[in-house]
Amino acid sequence: MKTLYNSIKPEYKDKLEANAKEYPATIEAIKKSLYYNELWSRLTVSQVRDFISFTDTPLHTVRFEDWAFGDMFLNHEKTA
């Protein structure tokens, strides 16, 4: 089973890890939500907000597609 965590782009995983020392409980909660879900649309608004905040992503760069589908954060598999 492929989880959301497996689909997150490496630069966003790195940003979560960089914040883990200062905010261990929050980062752990974010990672759990990514491990336990296969689809971005299954995340709550709070989980998406926390992910965006703790990956140091400027809100003005986040489009609707990013909020709703995680477009800028996920590696999308290409089908042949």
Side-chain angles (χ1 to χ4, degrees):
M1 174 175 82
K2 187 165 184 162
T3 68
L4 276 175
Y5 189 81
N6 300 124
S7 298
I8 297 293
K9 292 178 181 177
E11 59 266 29
Y12 296 105
K13 288 181 183 178
D14 292 344
K15 290 178 183 182
L16 288 175
E17 291 305 317
N19 281 311
K21 283 188 179 183
E22 193 168 350
Y23 307 101
T26 303
I27 300 304
E28 186 63 27
I30 292 168
K31 288 170 82 173
K32 280 184 182 179
S33 70
L34 297 170
Y35 277 118
Y36 293 139
N37 287 288
E38 296 177 47
L39 301 171
W40 189 267
S41 60
R42 301 284 187 212
L43 298 176
T44 66
V45 172
S46 294
Q47 289 168 329
V48 172
R49 182 203 58 222
D50 288 348
F51 177 85
I52 291 169
S53 295
F54 286 91
T55 55
D56 303 322
T57 304
L59 283 178
H60 70 276
T61 65
V62 182
R63 301 168 301 142
F64 167 77
E65 293 83 3
D66 306 323
W67 274 98
F69 308 112
D71 284 0
M72 76 184 288
F73 308 112
L74 302 175
N75 288 315
H76 296 286
E77 293 181 12
K78 298 187 191 303
T79 54

